[in-house]
Amino acid sequence: MDRRMKLILTIVSLLVFILLLWLAESYMDPFIKRILNVAAIYVILGVSLNLINGFTGQFSLGHAGFMSLGAYASALLYMSPALKATNFFIEPIIWPLSEIQIPFFFALLVGGAIAAVAGFAVGAPCLRVGGDYLAIVTYGFAEIIRVILNNLQNITNGPLGLKGLPTYTNLYWSWGWALFTIFFIKKLVDSSYGRALKSIREDEVAAEAMGVNLFKHKTLAFVIGAFFAGIGGGLLGSLLMTIDPNSFNISLTFQIVMIVLLGGLGSITGSVVMGVSIAFLMELLRFVESPMTIFGLTIPGISGMRMLIFALILVITVIFFRRGLFGQKEFSWDWIFRSKRRNAE
Amino acid sequence: MSLLKLEHVTKRFGGLTAVSDFNLDLQEGELVGLIGPNGAGKTTIFNLITNTYLVSEGKVILGGKDITGMKTDRITAEGIARTFQNIRLFGELTALDNVRTAFHLRLKSSVLSAVFGLPGYRKEEKEIDDKAMLLLKTLGLEKYKDDLAGSLPYGLQRKLEISRALATNPKVLLLDEPAAGMNPEETLALAALIMRIRKEFNLTVLLIEHDMSLVMSICERIVVLDHGVTIARGLPKEIQNNPEVITAYLGTGDLYA
Ligand SMILES: Nc1ncnc2c1ncn2[C@@H]1O[C@H](COP(=O)(O)OP(=O)(O)O)[C@@H](O)[C@H]1O
Ligand SMILES: [Mg+2]
């Protein structure tokens, strides 16, 4: 199949997708819309974490930390001064944050940028440690962020969090950013820079000996991954309408790690498919947390049961399907049409 | 003209002196063999040249420039490339991508220019593609360009490692036991290959090798190492008959063992 044909197919499917978004945004029931928004955010988070963990091979557990930075930074910028005043009743918010209000889009960008700076700050010193240590250090970083958010009363409102956030997040914003994330990271990993990142994953010693600057490229992965995590956090904050320091804890990071592992380390397609699937599964499995009666035995609702089920799925995947659903494979038009033809034979 | 010079290079691992007071003056265009029994410190010398290990004492000088302690990737950019004794390819990348990766260090375009496919980047990427394909052809690997490097047979992996090293555009090529695991026929072909690329790419080569027939047939000079100490240096003929060298090799008197 030639390039032009593929381009046309891509454009047509994009148009169809936008039409579907418009239909969903206009006619779907709010409950489904909410899941679809969460799905887009999971896609953003999964794909961006995959850049760090899957393509560059640096096992990071810091994603929730980057998300919280994005969520707080953007919320503090798009909230109206009046809303801030009602939120910060224990201790007023510091100037100039008390006065500033900028449009949602720019607030998101600033949130992403702040997360990216944090990505650099974590990534750079972490380069000396590898493997398991990196996981611990990045997890520690996310915890530190949480503690800081809890204690900066006059900037973050401390443990009270931010409430009544305006819901700017809709399907256009969330899926628009999801598509951009997919585009950006796909183009990146297919480029010369992407090959350098993958070479680090494959063999650091050899990569460096072939002239790949380890410091530059590992921080690059962290900065870009953190940027999109910050955007995802900003979108999620405005969708949930409430954020507090504990909204972004290790169990959120765990969910995103799960999306990446189940989809396949190094497969963007995998992260997209699993991001959407997990968003729906989380809702479908809600029933397991409500009280139920089995063979006359009444079990009270146990919150956290869903995570237990996911943990089980994850353990089974890691043991029996190490490469996840897609391994390192990616969706492509060639692949679709080839498999169609094979089926026809 | 002297191209690569090692002056009084010493490496200690804790109490063990893996390389002691090693000196080498590689002239431009030369092909020098570095031999010695297992554990003599040969690979360590490669690691010291590329600063994969930091030298304990001494200097490494490339073309008059002191590169001691320079970062490994910078040293590669300065013109030293290597292969590894226990092959270190990027196993999950294709043969073509292995070679293309080694061109990355000369890329000028920015990340954003790469992501958005700006003309400047597209031009560079096209050049990388062409050069990488040419290199694969030179080494007879073009058929395998889309195969994962890790799935190639051993002999081809060794060749692919050489083409990847060549892609960094080196002045000095360090080959660490390139004939390991090859049969006599393949070794013969490898000798021809080394001679050919040396000429084609204007290389100066430092070769670690166990296969004496290979070393004796293509090296112009040989340095012999034992327990980190240089025990002999000279022409292949001289080395062959050097009693100290013969003793170092198990004392069997048979260099071809
Ligand atoms: N990273 C290291 N740490 C400690 N000892 C090492 C290290 N690398 C090599 N050595 C030791 O240095 C000596 C020389 O090793 P090496 O250079 O690999 O030998 P050769 O390549 O000549 O077979 C050996 O005794 C080896 O155990
Ligand atoms: Mg060795």
Side-chain angles (χ1 to χ4, degrees), chain B residues 37-44 85 176-177 208 210:
Chain B
N38 262 328
K42 307 179 296 293
T43 300
T44 302
Q85 181 175 350
D176 197 344
E177 303 199 20
I208 297 178
H210 266 304

Side-chain angles (χ1 to χ4, degrees), chain A residues 183-184 187-188 191-193 195-196 198-199 202-203 205-213 217 220 323 328, chain B residues 71-73 76 82 84 88 90-92 97 100-101 104-105 107 109-111 115-116 121 125 164 168:
Chain A
F183 164 83
F184 192 100
K187 285 293 199 181
L188 177 70
S191 77
S192 186
Y193 285 93
R195 290 193 289 268
K198 290 182 242 178
S199 76
E202 295 295 313
D203 189 326
V205 173
E208 196 178 23
M210 293 308 123
V212 173
N213 182 334
H217 288 88
L220 177 74
R323 303 174 62 87
Q328 291 184 5
Chain B
K71 281 182 62 212
T72 302
D73 57 287
T76 308
R82 73 177 292 185
F84 295 89
R88 282 175 172 265
F90 309 128
E92 299 271 320
D97 275 351
R100 290 201 290 182
T101 303
H104 183 68
L105 82 164
L107 190 84
S109 304
S110 69
V111 181
V115 167
F116 294 105
Y121 172 76
E125 176 79 1
R164 186 181 66 173
T168 65

